[in-house]
Amino acid sequence: MVTIENLTFAFKKNRPLFNQLNLKLEKGNTYGLFGLNGAGKTTLLSLISGMLFPDSGDCLIHEAPARERLPKVLSDLFILPEQFELPKMNALRYIDIQAPFYPDFDFEKISQIMKEFQIDTGKNLTELSYGQRKKFMIAFALASNVSLLLMDEPTNGLDIPSKSQFRKIIAAANLENRCVVISTHQVRDLNTLIDRITLLHAGSIIFDQTLNSISDKLNFIKLKPDDTRSTLYSEDVLGGQFAICLKESSDDDTHVDLELLFNGIIQQPESFSRVFQNGGIS
């Protein structure tokens, strides 16, 4: 679907944000693209969508260079940026104008999602709150039915009930034949939505694993103060520590805590890399 090979990009000369970056994104996966603020998540999505051009290397979508912005590629790609401007027209007029650019656009789906989000289709989009505008664009993105959907911080600007609605709508969407990349630093918002974690740090992909592979190798458990089990990473909590441990043969599966995993990888990337390269710690 998307192939990034030896990609180098810099906003300023001699200070590359990415240097020889490599990454593959495949259909049938919902990726959580995680990273600290400034890690380059938004820039990476802009390179994939052809809004920025690499200094060297390749970014291919269906084997076509993203930078060429071919109509057949753009009609099968949608990017929802964190910040956007909408024209002074109501939602229905916007859909009438923009939907024809996406051959598989689902008018029934956008109507359903707008109803779920309680979007006032009679008002001009510019009169809606930022959260309501964001929800409208989420609805449009999902209804576009493109095979490559890029979403940059989609939960920013949403209140707690709206975040819950967002998770419900994404979970109910048919994404099996699509490649979805959701970029965020609010890791907890995506805890039940993604099936693969891709972590960007210091210009490199330092972690890229499915939730199944993580669950096969790691357990996320609360340790009591007298527990001597070795840990990869832990944080103090009331009554002990919440820890990531190597999974033992007798262990049951545990829920993957994305926030704890994110913190652990950022602070101890080599330890986690060894686990997934060699199946254990040397």
Side-chain angles (χ1 to χ4, degrees), residues 38-58:
K41 302 184 299 296
T42 297
T43 301
L44 181 57
L45 295 187
S46 296
L47 288 161
I48 293 172
S49 61
M51 293 194 294
L52 291 175
F53 300 161
D55 297 323
S56 63
D58 294 312

Side-chain angles (χ1 to χ4, degrees), residues 26-42:
E26 302 289 351
K27 278 187 179 182
N29 290 309
T30 299
Y31 295 84
L33 179 61
F34 297 150
L36 300 172
N37 286 335
K41 302 184 299 296
T42 297

Side-chain angles (χ1 to χ4, degrees), residues 17-255:
L17 178 60
F18 302 129
N19 190 9
Q20 302 291 304
L21 184 73
N22 292 281
L23 178 65
K24 285 194 175 184
L25 304 172
E26 302 289 351
K27 278 187 179 182
N29 290 309
T30 299
Y31 295 84
L33 179 61
F34 297 150
L36 300 172
N37 286 335
K41 302 184 299 296
T42 297
T43 301
L44 181 57
L45 295 187
S46 296
L47 288 161
I48 293 172
S49 61
M51 293 194 294
L52 291 175
F53 300 161
D55 297 323
S56 63
D58 294 312
C59 179
L60 307 175
I61 303 175
H62 296 305
E63 300 183 354
R67 67 187 303 154
E68 293 184 2
R69 300 178 180 176
L70 299 177
K72 67 177 182 179
V73 172
L74 295 181
S75 65
D76 200 30
L77 177 160
F78 191 92
I79 180 168
L80 173 61
E82 180 180 6
Q83 301 292 336
F84 52 83
E85 296 291 336
L86 292 175
K88 191 175 182 179
M89 61 179 65
N90 66 34
L92 299 180
R93 180 60 177 156
Y94 183 93
I95 295 166
D96 286 341
I97 294 172
Q98 297 294 328
F101 291 104
Y102 303 96
D104 296 320
F105 194 90
D106 190 331
F107 292 92
E108 183 177 341
K109 179 180 290 185
I110 196 169
S111 177
Q112 175 189 345
I113 298 174
M114 288 194 300
K115 184 177 181 180
E116 177 82 16
F117 275 146
Q118 298 180 329
I119 295 169
D120 187 344
T121 58
K123 284 186 176 181
N124 283 334
L125 294 170
T126 52
E127 297 173 345
L128 300 177
S129 68
Y130 175 73
Q132 286 293 98
R133 295 198 303 272
K134 174 66 74 76
K135 288 191 283 188
F136 170 70
M137 290 306 297
I138 291 170
F140 191 94
L142 291 172
S144 67
N145 273 332
V146 293
S147 64
L148 177 58
L149 175 57
L150 311 173
M151 307 179 84
D152 191 8
E153 300 286 359
T155 59
N156 273 9
L158 300 185
D159 56 24
I160 292 175
S162 295
K163 287 182 180 183
S164 179
Q165 286 178 314
F166 170 77
R167 288 191 289 267
K168 178 182 175 182
I169 288 168
I170 292 290
N174 181 13
L175 304 177
E176 290 182 1
N177 295 314
R178 304 167 75 177
C179 176
V180 181
V181 183
I182 305 177
S183 165
T184 188
H185 66 279
Q186 299 184 38
V187 179
R188 189 164 291 178
D189 286 347
L190 302 186
N191 220 40
T192 60
L193 300 180
I194 62 173
D195 51 40
R196 192 174 186 101
I197 297 171
T198 302
L199 207 160
L200 185 61
H201 186 64
S204 299
I205 301 296
I206 63 170
F207 189 83
D208 183 32
Q209 297 291 334
T210 66
L211 255 64
N212 284 340
S213 67
I214 294 167
S215 183
D216 285 345
K217 292 181 180 294
L218 302 177
N219 262 2
F220 297 75
I221 56 178
K222 184 176 180 180
L223 299 178
K224 296 179 180 179
D226 59 349
D227 200 316
T228 60
R229 184 168 176 170
S230 64
T231 65
L232 283 170
Y233 176 78
S234 65
E235 293 179 356
D236 291 334
V237 295
L238 185 64
Q241 291 183 316
F242 194 31
I244 305 174
C245 305
L246 283 177
K247 190 172 184 178
E248 298 177 356
S249 58
S250 59
D251 287 340
D252 294 328
D253 289 342
T254 58
H255 174 71

